[in-house]
Amino acid sequence: MREEGVLALWRGSIPTASRACIITAAQFSVYEECKERLVKYTPLGDNPLTHGLASFACAIVAGLVSNPFDVAKTRLMSMKIGEDGSRPYTGTFQAIGKIARQEGAPALMKGLGPTVARQVPLNLVRFMTVEQLRKIL
């Protein structure tokens, strides 16, 4: 705060909200699509195994889709402002492009393993709970 001012405390809030929207959209849409296809095209039926498989799939897809935004968000939040006021990154998409150009596309997938490892149990619990609530309601 002393070095960069009060507003530096909120640096990264827009990329964080954007990432949250992307990951949520990916999770819910992929879960519903996977579940629907598993019920329709396999003998599994609508049961906890189907829900678990769809949860696992959506966690992987959500991790893949959101990881570049997560990398950009982290870079935006931790960037140092130059003495002349210059910024290494000006926004999420500019950061993604700059990282890909300078470090290669694989750099946008740094931390994918931990992201997916966090998403799998989260989505298993979330969607198993959603399915149980659907039965009740």
Side-chain angles (χ1 to χ4, degrees):
M1 208 168 70
R2 278 179 237 173
E3 293 174 13
E4 298 180 37
V6 174
L7 292 179
L9 297 174
W10 283 270
R11 184 180 307 131
S13 59
I14 291 173
T16 299
S18 300
R19 178 199 171 273
C21 292
I22 289 163
I23 200 164
T24 301
Q27 287 170 337
F28 283 90
S29 60
V30 171
Y31 173 79
E32 291 297 332
E33 185 66 25
C34 284
K35 184 182 91 168
E36 183 179 306
R37 288 176 182 256
L38 286 168
V39 169
K40 186 174 183 178
Y41 298 114
T42 71
L44 293 175
D46 191 2
N47 61 47
L49 177 59
T50 300
H51 306 154
L53 291 171
S55 297
F56 185 79
C58 84
I60 292 170
V61 172
L64 287 168
V65 169
S66 69
N67 215 76
F69 293 90
D70 206 19
V71 170
K73 171 189 69 92
T74 301
R75 299 281 181 98
L76 283 161
M77 292 172 80
S78 63
M79 73 178 169
K80 297 291 183 200
I81 308 298
E83 289 185 26
D84 61 352
S86 64
R87 296 169 179 260
Y89 306 108
T90 57
T92 303
F93 290 105
Q94 184 268 348
I96 289 171
K98 187 172 183 178
I99 293 164
R101 280 190 308 280
Q102 291 181 347
E103 301 172 40
L108 295 170
M109 291 297 149
K110 288 180 180 176
L112 180 63
T115 296
V116 171
R118 183 180 68 243
Q119 290 297 321
V120 169
L122 169 70
N123 283 313
L124 281 169
V125 170
R126 172 185 291 137
F127 290 113
M128 298 295 252
T129 302
V130 164
E131 294 299 338
Q132 293 305 308
L133 290 172
R134 284 179 177 168
K135 286 181 183 180
I136 295 169
L137 305 174

